[in-house]
Amino acid sequence: MLELARTVRFCLDDPRHAGAPPPRHNAFSAWPPMRGLGRYYQLLVVCRGEADPLTGYFINITHIDEAVRQAVIPSLAAALADAASDAGGTPGTPMGQLMRRLARAFPEPIGSALWRLGLDLSPHLSLHIGTADMDHVLLRQQFEFSAAHRLHVPQYSDEENRRIFGKCNNPAGHGHNYRLEVVVRSKIDAKGHVVPVEAVDALVDQAAVQKLDHKHLNIDVPQFAKLNPSVENIAKVIHDMLCAPLKEKLGVELAEVSVWETAKTVCTYRGE
Ligand code: NI
């Protein structure tokens, strides 16, 4: 079984720039392109299946691009118009509608190969839905915090600590600008909404970010009093901080926590 992911970037026009879109010269950036103060979206389309033994193709990516532009853009524009009159909840039903319309826009049998959609609403916020779980949406939101830490194991000698942790064992500590991504699984409610993004933002800020931001993890954060604050342990501690409050206060399941210690190092914990 193969999994093929294709990203399609497009814009919904600023209403002052109505009319046929200009020629397609730069679909890398977006097509239809940005005109005026329009809205930019990025859609991830993931399909699963087997490659044709002759062409080596499982699905022709130009079919994905065309299906997205024919089926998704009008659907998203209509959902956007509806949202203006329904108090602007986080859209759940539109994600399901996008999936169904996109599947219909693909020529069979590849329509049934559609596996997952991810809609980036911003570079740091996205909604995902999968054919195996059409009643729920995964909401991915990113945060940041700055903190100092020292990697040190008291059971080891100073020499052993320096050998294992190198510069990260510096006695006075050192700092990182951490990036945090939280993924929650939220049921689509009767109104077609999922958990409000602002509620997730507030809870994660209060239950995790404020407890870590501008702190020395080893000294200020009780969870690290006897636990080495590696990026692995930070991801697990944040998962523990968020799991119960998200369930109890917002009724959503914490699916995943990822922590970037640098742009090159990220650790993900799913509670498994
Ligand atoms: Ni470090």
Side-chain angles (χ1 to χ4, degrees):
M1 181 74 73
L2 296 165
E3 202 169 289
L4 184 74
R6 174 74 169 171
T7 295
V8 186
R9 300 169 180 149
F10 57 91
C11 298
L12 296 184
D13 275 343
D14 182 332
R16 294 170 296 180
H17 294 260
R24 187 184 312 195
H25 292 307
N26 185 5
F28 174 81
S29 173
W31 196 85
M34 180 63 74
R35 288 188 290 176
L37 299 172
R39 293 169 184 256
Y40 168 76
Y41 294 98
Q42 181 166 287
L43 188 75
L44 175 73
V45 180
V46 182
C47 298
R48 275 164 50 117
E50 299 292 349
D52 181 281
L54 198 58
T55 64
Y57 270 18
F58 149 50
I59 181 168
N60 188 325
I61 53 171
T62 60
H63 292 157
I64 299 180
D65 290 9
E66 289 315 308
V68 167
R69 293 191 167 103
Q70 285 171 18
V72 170
I73 293 177
S75 177
L76 205 56
L80 196 59
D82 285 349
S85 60
D86 88 343
T90 306
T93 298
M95 288 301 295
Q97 287 169 348
L98 293 187
M99 178 73 101
R100 283 185 281 270
R101 285 177 188 169
L102 191 57
R104 285 201 296 270
F106 280 156
E108 280 300 333
I110 54 177
S112 51
L114 188 56
W115 181 245
R116 187 163 63 83
L117 283 188
L119 181 66
D120 289 358
L121 298 173
S122 84
H124 308 289
L125 169 66
S126 60
L127 303 174
H128 297 253
I129 194 164
T131 49
D133 188 17
M134 291 288 282
D135 295 333
H136 293 84
V137 164
L138 291 175
L139 186 155
R140 310 179 83 93
Q141 175 71 306
Q142 292 190 346
F143 303 80
E144 66 172 355
F145 61 93
S146 300
H149 72 164
R150 181 193 189 202
L151 298 183
H152 182 81
V153 174
Q155 292 89 332
Y156 293 160
S157 67
D158 288 351
E159 188 187 354
E160 188 72 348
N161 272 294
R162 279 193 294 274
R163 190 185 64 78
I164 296 171
F165 301 116
K167 288 189 288 188
C168 299
N169 184 242
N170 177 38
H174 64 278
H176 294 280
N177 293 320
Y178 291 93
R179 183 187 295 201
L180 165 65
E181 183 174 84
V182 175
V183 183
V184 301
R185 180 172 172 265
S186 177
K187 190 170 174 58
I188 301 172
D189 69 16
K191 290 181 178 174
H193 296 158
V194 294
V195 63
V197 177
E198 59 269 29
V200 175
D201 284 351
L203 190 144
V204 173
D205 183 60
Q206 178 260 324
V209 172
Q210 286 185 31
K211 292 177 175 163
L212 304 168
D213 189 33
H214 286 69
K215 301 286 168 57
H216 194 305
L217 300 179
N218 307 63
I219 298 167
D220 300 323
V221 181
Q223 286 89 334
F224 295 111
K226 293 181 179 171
L227 184 68
N228 210 22
S230 61
V231 70
E232 297 90 329
N233 281 334
I234 295 170
K236 292 178 83 169
V237 163
I238 293 174
H239 192 281
D240 287 348
M241 288 172 160
L242 295 176
C243 195
L246 281 168
K247 189 78 185 167
E248 288 158 16
K249 295 181 181 173
L250 301 184
V252 296
E253 181 188 320
L254 178 58
E256 192 175 295
V257 165
S258 294
V259 178
W260 283 257
E261 188 166 71
T262 69
K264 296 185 294 183
T265 307
V266 57
C267 184
T268 298
Y269 183 61
R270 300 189 179 92
E272 294 162 344

